[in-house]
Amino acid sequence: KFCWSGFTMKQREKLAAGLLVLLFPVILLVSMMDAFGPSSTQHHRALYNEILPIIYDENEHEHIKRMKATGDYGECEIRPPVFPDHEITPTFSASYPGSGAKMTWVLIEAITGFSTGDDFGINGAHNIVSIKTHYPSSEGKQMAANEVVPRAILLLRHPLSAFPSYYNYLYEMENKLENHSTRAPLEAWISWRDANFDKEIENWRRFVEYWMDNYSPINRLVVSYEKITDDIMGAVEATRIAEFLSRSKGVVTCPPELIACVWHKVVKYKENSSSNNEGRRLQEIPEIPAPPTKEELAKYGIDPSQFALSDPTNPNSHRSGPTYTPPYTKQQLKDLLSTLTALLERYREEKSLAPILVGYIDAVEKRGES
């Protein structure tokens, strides 16, 4: 507390003038924040930070490695999701077809306890925690702009894996088979691949650009299928998803100490005989691309110290039928490499997307060498 007693009027005037000179830069700075930043300094302070990728640390994640080794992820109960009786703000869960949308759908329901919906089936329902969408692909439906749904989770899967997974779904629909039950024959995959590859590359590129360009880093979470299904980093990614969802109005997630257990029951349910989440995730095929090494990140001018590096698991397929690694021609791999490289150039500064693209590029290069 500043006290004026003991000063003459002239001294007070001089002192006040001096204080005004000292305070002028502060006043000017606050004015500039109001003029060029958000609508108010209070709003500016309330903004969240971007949820960056978690850096893999062997010591920090030792407890998850122990969980994997022992099979002990703790005790948790996953109850059927409900529609909340209070207002909540939904989040888009966007993925290209064949990228693990249903797996993520169930994971979100398990983390929050609230029901999810999709862009075709919500029928005006607003009290859902997330809206699954494949837009702008033909399997998606354009919905409200980001003023209505202010946040989005962008789930990516390597096109080398997403394309055949998507075709398996189309094959099942065409032959009136149960969803997620059958893997298409090799000759059928090759025929569809050659007729649709160029179109699907373009659709995948447009999908990435749409969600990257329409949502700011603060309101967008980029995750990869490869990391969510990883034995070590999968539980960590689930924690990132929980943190992101908890920022939405009316959404409360399960305690952090239970996330690993919830993730294991949903994503690794075949390893957990007590899980009841049968048939709820898309099939997985061999040769899931590994995330980039430090050397590969450095090759593209990206600081490797900012990103998590880990080796993904190679889970078995959940579809019956012939087992094969979906083949591609040399020209198709070349065209895909060109698309991924162009995306990396455009989004090099995006810390959540760039390392994923680097890993995908490396996988294509290795496939081309084989």
Side-chain angles (χ1 to χ4, degrees):
K1 181 178 179 179
F2 188 83
C3 182
W4 286 102
S5 62
F7 292 92
T8 65
M9 182 59 68
K10 186 170 290 188
Q11 287 173 325
R12 293 180 186 182
E13 291 174 353
K14 288 182 178 180
L15 188 56
L19 286 173
L20 184 60
V21 172
L22 292 173
L23 289 172
F24 179 75
V26 177
I27 297 171
L28 179 62
L29 178 60
V30 171
S31 300
M32 291 175 64
M33 289 174 65
D34 283 337
F36 300 106
S39 58
S40 71
T41 54
Q42 287 77 16
H43 177 65
H44 179 81
R45 287 192 293 268
L47 289 178
Y48 288 109
N49 293 321
E50 178 185 3
I51 299 178
L52 296 174
I54 303 296
I55 300 174
Y56 175 72
D57 185 287
E58 185 173 353
N59 296 322
E60 183 177 345
H61 299 122
E62 180 63 30
H63 65 290
I64 301 179
K65 295 172 72 173
R66 285 197 302 270
M67 290 178 181
K68 171 59 181 175
T70 62
D72 183 6
Y73 287 82
E75 296 295 328
C76 58
E77 180 182 1
I78 300 179
R79 299 178 179 178
V82 299
F83 290 101
D85 55 8
H86 61 277
E87 183 180 355
I88 62 175
T89 302
T91 297
F92 276 127
S93 177
S95 62
Y96 186 83
S99 300
K102 284 197 173 182
M103 173 190 70
T104 310
W105 179 334
V106 179
L107 183 60
I108 289 173
E109 289 184 334
I111 288 174
T112 64
F114 294 144
S115 296
T116 59
D118 61 39
D119 47 8
F120 282 96
I122 63 171
N123 296 324
H126 296 290
N127 269 18
I128 51 178
V129 68
S130 74
I131 303 171
K132 177 177 72 71
T133 181
H134 296 309
Y135 186 81
S137 82
S138 59
E139 299 293 337
K141 171 185 175 184
Q142 187 171 17
M143 295 186 60
N146 54 14
E147 292 83 7
V148 178
V149 185
R151 295 187 177 88
I153 297 173
L154 173 57
L155 171 65
L156 296 178
R157 188 181 189 183
H158 200 303
L160 291 178
S161 300
F163 292 171
S165 179
Y166 176 36
Y167 176 61
N168 285 334
Y169 163 77
L170 296 176
Y171 179 83
E172 291 166 341
M173 296 301 101
E174 180 182 349
N175 292 278
K176 297 180 173 58
L177 300 170
E178 183 181 351
N179 197 7
H180 301 156
S181 66
T182 307
R183 188 179 302 107
L186 177 59
E187 59 272 17
W189 151 249
I190 292 176
S191 177
W192 181 86
R193 176 203 69 185
D194 291 344
N196 295 276
F197 187 79
D198 292 342
K199 180 186 72 175
E200 295 306 320
I201 285 182
E202 179 64 14
N203 288 342
W204 195 88
R205 179 191 63 79
R206 287 175 54 243
F207 168 80
V208 174
E209 291 178 346
Y210 176 85
W211 293 99
M212 292 298 295
D213 293 348
N214 281 277
Y215 284 84
S216 69
I218 294 173
N219 293 323
R220 176 212 324 129
L221 182 71
V222 183
V223 295
S224 73
Y225 175 92
E226 293 77 20
K227 214 152 194 202
I228 291 179
T229 57
D230 180 74
D231 277 349
I232 305 301
M233 296 305 294
V236 178
E237 287 297 282
T239 303
R240 293 179 69 226
I241 293 173
E243 163 63 20
F244 188 74
L245 291 170
S246 69
R247 296 179 174 185
S248 296
K249 177 183 178 182
V251 177
V252 178
T253 60
C254 65
E257 61 270 19
L258 298 182
I259 294 293
C261 176
V262 170
W263 166 83
H264 185 254
K265 281 195 172 185
V266 172
V267 178
K268 301 292 185 179
Y269 71 91
K270 287 200 74 176
E271 300 176 4
N272 191 327
S273 59
S274 64
S275 174
N276 294 318
N277 295 302
E278 296 180 0
R280 291 301 305 274
R281 66 173 178 152
L282 297 180
Q283 55 80 274
E284 297 150 350
I285 62 175
E287 296 195 4
I288 293 175
T293 64
K294 292 182 179 180
E295 291 74 20
E296 290 160 356
L297 285 171
K299 172 183 173 183
Y300 292 94
I302 297 173
D303 182 4
S305 66
Q306 300 184 56
F307 305 109
L309 305 174
S310 61
D311 294 325
T313 59
N314 188 5
N316 295 321
S317 172
H318 294 273
R319 281 187 163 109
S320 62
T323 301
Y324 57 85
T325 299
Y328 294 89
T329 67
K330 293 285 187 180
Q331 185 60 48
Q332 288 168 345
L333 292 175
K334 182 179 179 181
D335 293 343
L336 177 56
L337 184 63
S338 176
T339 297
L340 292 171
T341 302
L343 283 171
L344 179 59
E345 287 299 317
R346 177 169 179 171
Y347 299 109
R348 184 181 297 276
E349 301 304 318
E350 292 284 352
K351 295 179 180 179
S352 292
L353 177 64
I356 295 175
L357 292 175
V358 169
Y360 289 177
I361 288 170
D362 181 64
V364 175
E365 290 177 339
K366 289 178 179 178
R367 179 74 74 90
E369 295 169 358
S370 61

